[in-house]
Amino acid sequence: MDPAAEPLRKEVRIAVAQKQNTHWSCLDYGNNVCFNRWWFVKDSCGIVCCVFTWLLLAYAEFAVNVVIIASAIARDAVYFAIINGVLFNGLVLFALISHIRAAMTEPGIVPKNTATDERIRELELAPGTVIMRCPKCICIKPDRAHHCSICKRCVRKMDHHCPWVNNCIGENNQKYFVLFTMYIATLSLHAIIMTVHQFILCVDKEFLGSIRCVFLPIGCSAMNPPTSIILLIFLLFEGLLFFLFTCIMFCTQLCAIWNDETGIEQLQSDKERSWARRKRFSGLRAVFGDNCSIWWLSPFSTPRLMGNNKPYHYSV
């Protein structure tokens, strides 16, 4: 065995000098590609979870608009219907866009085959220098990078693999995942409030009312009372469940960003960490963008990172 190759087996972190002729934008997605362009993890469990998420959003849209918003229009509560309809549907749209971008944004994968003998020689490292190498990707692993067994790639600043977005949460898509949990929690709370309001408003009326026409009912619902009650009960249960779940995830992510550590790094001891933590607010800027603005809350914008807040990009 070549003695010079032996140090590659050890996971010891060093600072690797950047090479100007290396282009990180030319990444090979392997099998995780859709339409020869978009990043998409071909995992059956993750795809089922994504479809289930969209179906739950579609059900919430149907229940709120047909049972709650339509009944508000029927009883001439136009302002209530407009304000809550625009707010709820806007939150659903933002949550859906956040979900799509979190799922189809490349999370920060490390290029494969950068730890071959030829590439190692190109680094011109000093004799005896030890680097951290992933034996599965055959790549030099940057600090804070971890190998995902589902994506089958090393991901920079990997937090975890989330089946609900069918993707790893890493350096490039953490913003969209945080926004997804925030908007889901917000619209779930909004749905809970509207559902409770609907029950209080219509419990004495037993959800009854005469029908003026097919599309404009007078009363508490466009549907018969049993159907309306069942739809609202399921909506309330869905809202409570996902409000608690996403609220916990949102708070966990914010704490991790504020402390500049991922979910994996929280399980490591301080001795295993070799990087300098960012200051509190710098961690937020590293995820959402250098300039604090309203665009931090937009899933349509890509974070612009400059100066010291540039993410953990490494060239080999």
Side-chain angles (χ1 to χ4, degrees), residues 59-111:
Y59 172 78
E61 277 275 284
F62 173 79
V64 168
N65 287 296
V66 173
V67 178
I68 299 177
I69 302 300
S71 67
I73 296 175
R75 62 177 184 270
D76 295 328
V78 179
Y79 291 112
F80 175 90
I82 293 176
I83 294 173
N84 286 281
V86 170
L87 179 59
F88 183 82
N89 288 283
L91 289 172
V92 170
L93 175 63
F94 274 54
L96 184 60
I97 298 299
S98 299
H99 184 269
I100 293 174
R101 297 209 66 177
M104 303 192 72
T105 297
E106 176 265 303
I109 61 174
V110 178

Coordinates of all heavy atoms in Angstrom, one line a residue, residues 59-111:
Y59 N -56.4 19.9 0.8 CA -57.6 19.7 1.6 C -57.9 21.0 2.5 O -59.0 21.4 2.6 CB -57.4 18.5 2.6 CG -58.5 18.4 3.6 CD1 -59.7 17.9 3.2 CD2 -58.3 18.9 4.9 CE1 -60.7 17.8 4.2 CE2 -59.3 18.8 5.8 CZ -60.5 18.3 5.5 OH -61.5 18.2 6.4
A60 N -56.8 21.6 3.0 CA -57.0 22.8 3.8 C -57.6 23.9 2.9 O -58.5 24.6 3.4 CB -55.7 23.2 4.4
E61 N -57.1 24.0 1.7 CA -57.6 25.0 0.8 C -59.1 24.8 0.5 O -59.9 25.7 0.6 CB -56.9 24.9 -0.6 CG -55.6 25.7 -0.6 CD -55.8 27.1 -1.0 OE1 -56.1 27.4 -2.1 OE2 -55.8 28.0 0.0
F62 N -59.5 23.5 0.3 CA -60.9 23.2 0.0 C -61.8 23.5 1.2 O -62.8 24.1 1.1 CB -61.0 21.7 -0.4 CG -62.4 21.2 -0.6 CD1 -63.1 21.5 -1.7 CD2 -63.0 20.5 0.4 CE1 -64.4 21.0 -1.9 CE2 -64.3 20.0 0.3 CZ -65.0 20.3 -0.9
A63 N -61.4 23.0 2.4 CA -62.2 23.1 3.6 C -62.4 24.6 3.9 O -63.5 25.0 4.3 CB -61.6 22.4 4.7
V64 N -61.3 25.4 3.9 CA -61.4 26.8 4.3 C -62.3 27.6 3.3 O -63.2 28.4 3.7 CB -60.0 27.4 4.4 CG1 -60.1 28.9 4.5 CG2 -59.3 26.9 5.6
N65 N -62.0 27.4 2.0 CA -62.7 28.2 1.0 C -64.2 27.8 0.8 O -65.0 28.6 0.6 CB -62.0 28.1 -0.4 CG -60.7 28.9 -0.4 OD1 -60.7 30.1 -0.3 ND2 -59.6 28.2 -0.5
V66 N -64.5 26.5 0.9 CA -65.8 26.0 0.6 C -66.7 26.1 1.9 O -67.9 26.6 1.8 CB -65.8 24.5 0.1 CG1 -67.2 24.0 0.0 CG2 -65.1 24.5 -1.2
V67 N -66.2 25.8 3.0 CA -67.0 25.8 4.2 C -67.0 27.2 4.9 O -68.0 27.7 5.3 CB -66.5 24.7 5.2 CG1 -67.3 24.7 6.5 CG2 -66.6 23.3 4.5
I68 N -65.8 27.8 5.1 CA -65.7 29.0 5.9 C -65.8 30.3 5.1 O -66.7 31.1 5.4 CB -64.3 29.0 6.7 CG1 -64.3 27.8 7.6 CG2 -64.2 30.3 7.4 CD1 -62.9 27.7 8.3
I69 N -65.0 30.4 4.0 CA -65.1 31.6 3.2 C -66.4 31.8 2.5 O -67.0 32.9 2.4 CB -63.9 31.7 2.2 CG1 -62.6 31.6 3.0 CG2 -64.0 33.0 1.4 CD1 -62.3 32.7 4.0
A70 N -66.9 30.7 1.9 CA -68.2 30.7 1.2 C -69.4 31.1 2.1 O -70.3 31.9 1.7 CB -68.5 29.4 0.5
S71 N -69.3 30.6 3.4 CA -70.4 30.9 4.3 C -70.3 32.4 4.7 O -71.4 33.0 5.0 CB -70.4 30.0 5.5 OG -69.2 30.2 6.3
A72 N -69.1 32.9 4.8 CA -69.0 34.3 5.1 C -69.5 35.2 4.1 O -70.2 36.2 4.3 CB -67.5 34.7 5.4
I73 N -69.3 34.8 2.8 CA -69.9 35.6 1.7 C -71.4 35.5 1.7 O -72.1 36.5 1.4 CB -69.3 35.1 0.3 CG1 -67.8 35.3 0.3 CG2 -70.0 35.7 -0.8 CD1 -67.2 34.7 -1.0
A74 N -71.9 34.3 2.1 CA -73.4 34.1 2.1 C -74.1 35.0 3.1 O -75.2 35.4 2.9 CB -73.7 32.6 2.3
R75 N -73.4 35.2 4.3 CA -74.0 36.0 5.3 C -73.6 37.5 5.2 O -73.7 38.2 6.2 CB -73.7 35.5 6.7 CG -72.3 35.4 7.1 CD -72.1 34.9 8.5 NE -70.7 35.0 8.9 CZ -69.8 34.0 8.8 NH1 -70.2 32.9 8.2 NH2 -68.6 34.2 9.2
D76 N -73.1 37.9 4.0 CA -72.7 39.3 3.7 C -71.5 39.8 4.6 O -71.4 41.0 4.7 CB -73.9 40.2 3.9 CG -75.0 39.9 2.9 OD1 -74.7 39.4 1.7 OD2 -76.2 40.1 3.2
A77 N -70.7 38.9 5.1 CA -69.5 39.3 5.8 C -68.4 39.4 4.7 O -67.4 38.6 4.7 CB -69.2 38.3 6.9
V78 N -68.5 40.4 3.9 CA -67.6 40.5 2.7 C -66.2 40.8 3.2 O -65.2 40.2 2.7 CB -68.1 41.5 1.7 CG1 -67.2 41.7 0.6 CG2 -69.5 41.2 1.3
Y79 N -66.0 41.7 4.1 CA -64.7 42.1 4.5 C -64.0 40.9 5.2 O -62.8 40.7 5.0 CB -64.7 43.3 5.4 CG -65.1 44.6 4.7 CD1 -66.3 45.2 5.0 CD2 -64.3 45.1 3.8 CE1 -66.7 46.3 4.4 CE2 -64.6 46.3 3.1 CZ -65.9 46.9 3.4 OH -66.2 48.1 2.8
F80 N -64.7 40.2 6.0 CA -64.2 39.0 6.7 C -63.7 38.0 5.6 O -62.6 37.4 5.7 CB -65.3 38.3 7.6 CG -64.8 37.0 8.2 CD1 -64.2 37.0 9.4 CD2 -65.0 35.8 7.6 CE1 -63.8 35.8 10.0 CE2 -64.7 34.6 8.2 CZ -64.0 34.6 9.4
A81 N -64.5 37.8 4.6 CA -64.2 36.8 3.5 C -63.0 37.2 2.7 O -62.1 36.4 2.4 CB -65.4 36.6 2.6
I82 N -62.9 38.5 2.4 CA -61.8 39.0 1.6 C -60.5 38.9 2.3 O -59.5 38.4 1.8 CB -62.1 40.4 1.1 CG1 -63.3 40.4 0.1 CG2 -60.8 41.0 0.4 CD1 -63.7 41.8 -0.4
I83 N -60.5 39.5 3.6 CA -59.3 39.5 4.3 C -58.8 38.1 4.7 O -57.6 37.8 4.4 CB -59.5 40.3 5.6 CG1 -59.8 41.8 5.3 CG2 -58.3 40.2 6.6 CD1 -60.2 42.6 6.5
N84 N -59.6 37.3 5.2 CA -59.2 35.9 5.5 C -58.9 35.1 4.3 O -58.0 34.2 4.3 CB -60.2 35.3 6.4 CG -60.2 35.8 7.8 OD1 -59.4 35.5 8.7 ND2 -61.2 36.7 8.1
G85 N -59.7 35.3 3.2 CA -59.4 34.5 2.0 C -58.1 34.8 1.4 O -57.3 34.0 1.0
V86 N -57.8 36.1 1.3 CA -56.5 36.6 0.7 C -55.3 36.1 1.6 O -54.3 35.6 1.1 CB -56.5 38.1 0.5 CG1 -55.1 38.6 0.1 CG2 -57.5 38.5 -0.6
L87 N -55.5 36.3 2.9 CA -54.4 35.9 3.9 C -54.1 34.5 3.8 O -53.0 34.0 3.7 CB -54.8 36.4 5.3 CG -53.8 36.1 6.4 CD1 -52.4 36.7 6.1 CD2 -54.3 36.5 7.7
F88 N -55.2 33.6 3.9 CA -55.0 32.2 4.0 C -54.4 31.7 2.7 O -53.4 30.9 2.7 CB -56.3 31.5 4.3 CG -56.1 30.0 4.5 CD1 -55.7 29.5 5.7 CD2 -56.4 29.1 3.5 CE1 -55.5 28.1 5.8 CE2 -56.3 27.7 3.6 CZ -55.8 27.2 4.8
N89 N -55.0 32.1 1.6 CA -54.5 31.6 0.3 C -53.1 32.1 0.0 O -52.3 31.4 -0.7 CB -55.5 32.0 -0.8 CG -56.8 31.2 -0.8 OD1 -56.9 30.0 -1.1 ND2 -57.8 31.8 -0.3
G90 N -52.8 33.3 0.4 CA -51.4 33.8 0.3 C -50.4 33.0 1.1 O -49.3 32.7 0.6
L91 N -50.8 32.6 2.3 CA -49.9 31.8 3.1 C -49.7 30.4 2.5 O -48.6 29.9 2.5 CB -50.5 31.7 4.5 CG -50.4 32.9 5.4 CD1 -51.2 32.7 6.7 CD2 -49.0 33.3 5.7
V92 N -50.8 29.9 1.9 CA -50.7 28.6 1.3 C -49.7 28.6 0.1 O -48.9 27.8 -0.2 CB -52.0 28.0 0.8 CG1 -51.9 26.8 -0.1 CG2 -52.9 27.7 2.0
L93 N -49.8 29.7 -0.7 CA -49.0 29.9 -1.9 C -47.5 30.0 -1.4 O -46.6 29.4 -2.0 CB -49.4 31.2 -2.6 CG -48.5 31.6 -3.8 CD1 -48.5 30.5 -4.9 CD2 -48.9 32.9 -4.4
F94 N -47.2 30.8 -0.4 CA -45.9 31.0 0.0 C -45.3 29.7 0.6 O -44.1 29.4 0.4 CB -45.8 32.1 1.1 CG -45.6 33.5 0.5 CD1 -46.5 34.0 -0.5 CD2 -44.6 34.3 0.9 CE1 -46.4 35.2 -1.0 CE2 -44.4 35.6 0.3 CZ -45.3 36.0 -0.6
A95 N -46.2 28.9 1.3 CA -45.7 27.7 1.9 C -45.4 26.7 0.7 O -44.4 25.9 0.8 CB -46.8 27.1 2.8
L96 N -46.2 26.7 -0.3 CA -46.0 25.7 -1.4 C -44.7 26.1 -2.2 O -43.9 25.2 -2.5 CB -47.2 25.8 -2.4 CG -47.2 24.8 -3.5 CD1 -47.2 23.4 -3.0 CD2 -48.4 25.0 -4.4
I97 N -44.5 27.4 -2.4 CA -43.3 27.8 -3.1 C -42.0 27.5 -2.3 O -41.0 27.0 -2.8 CB -43.3 29.3 -3.5 CG1 -44.5 29.6 -4.4 CG2 -42.0 29.7 -4.1 CD1 -44.4 28.9 -5.7
S98 N -42.1 27.7 -1.0 CA -41.0 27.4 -0.1 C -40.7 25.9 -0.1 O -39.6 25.5 -0.1 CB -41.3 27.8 1.4 OG -41.5 29.2 1.4
H99 N -41.8 25.1 -0.1 CA -41.6 23.6 -0.2 C -40.9 23.2 -1.4 O -40.0 22.4 -1.4 CB -43.0 23.0 0.0 CG -42.9 21.5 0.1 ND1 -43.0 20.6 -1.0 CD2 -42.7 20.6 1.2 CE1 -42.9 19.4 -0.7 NE2 -42.7 19.3 0.7
I100 N -41.4 23.7 -2.6 CA -40.8 23.3 -3.9 C -39.3 23.7 -3.9 O -38.5 23.0 -4.4 CB -41.6 24.0 -5.0 CG1 -43.0 23.4 -5.1 CG2 -40.9 23.8 -6.3 CD1 -43.9 24.0 -6.1
R101 N -39.0 24.9 -3.5 CA -37.6 25.4 -3.5 C -36.7 24.6 -2.6 O -35.6 24.4 -2.9 CB -37.5 26.9 -3.3 CG -38.3 27.8 -4.3 CD -37.6 29.1 -4.4 NE -36.3 29.0 -5.0 CZ -35.5 30.1 -5.3 NH1 -36.0 31.3 -5.0 NH2 -34.3 30.0 -5.8
A102 N -37.3 24.3 -1.4 CA -36.5 23.5 -0.5 C -36.2 22.1 -1.0 O -35.2 21.5 -0.8 CB -37.2 23.3 0.9
A103 N -37.2 21.5 -1.8 CA -37.1 20.2 -2.3 C -36.2 20.1 -3.6 O -35.5 19.2 -3.8 CB -38.5 19.6 -2.7
M104 N -36.2 21.2 -4.4 CA -35.6 21.2 -5.7 C -34.4 22.1 -5.8 O -33.8 22.3 -6.9 CB -36.6 21.5 -6.8 CG -37.8 20.6 -6.8 SD -38.8 20.7 -8.3 CE -37.7 19.9 -9.5
T105 N -33.9 22.6 -4.6 CA -32.6 23.3 -4.6 C -31.5 22.4 -4.2 O -31.6 21.7 -3.1 CB -32.8 24.5 -3.6 OG1 -33.8 25.4 -4.1 CG2 -31.4 25.3 -3.5
E106 N -30.5 22.4 -4.9 CA -29.3 21.6 -4.6 C -28.8 22.0 -3.2 O -28.5 23.2 -3.0 CB -28.2 21.8 -5.7 CG -26.9 21.0 -5.4 CD -25.9 22.0 -4.8 OE1 -25.6 23.0 -5.3 OE2 -25.5 21.6 -3.6
P107 N -28.7 21.2 -2.2 CA -28.5 21.6 -0.8 C -27.1 22.0 -0.5 O -26.8 22.5 0.6 CB -28.9 20.4 0.0 CG -28.6 19.2 -0.9 CD -29.0 19.7 -2.3
G108 N -26.1 21.8 -1.4 CA -24.7 22.2 -1.1 C -23.9 20.9 -1.3 O -23.0 20.7 -0.4
I109 N -24.0 20.2 -2.3 CA -23.3 18.9 -2.5 C -21.8 19.2 -2.8 O -21.5 20.2 -3.4 CB -23.9 18.0 -3.6 CG1 -23.9 18.7 -4.9 CG2 -25.3 17.6 -3.2 CD1 -24.4 17.8 -6.1
V110 N -21.0 18.3 -2.4 CA -19.6 18.4 -2.6 C -19.3 17.5 -3.9 O -19.8 16.4 -4.0 CB -18.8 17.8 -1.4 CG1 -17.3 17.8 -1.7 CG2 -19.1 18.6 -0.2
P111 N -18.5 18.1 -4.8 CA -18.2 17.4 -6.0 C -17.5 16.0 -5.7 O -16.7 15.9 -4.8 CB -17.2 18.3 -6.8 CG -17.5 19.6 -6.3 CD -17.9 19.4 -4.8

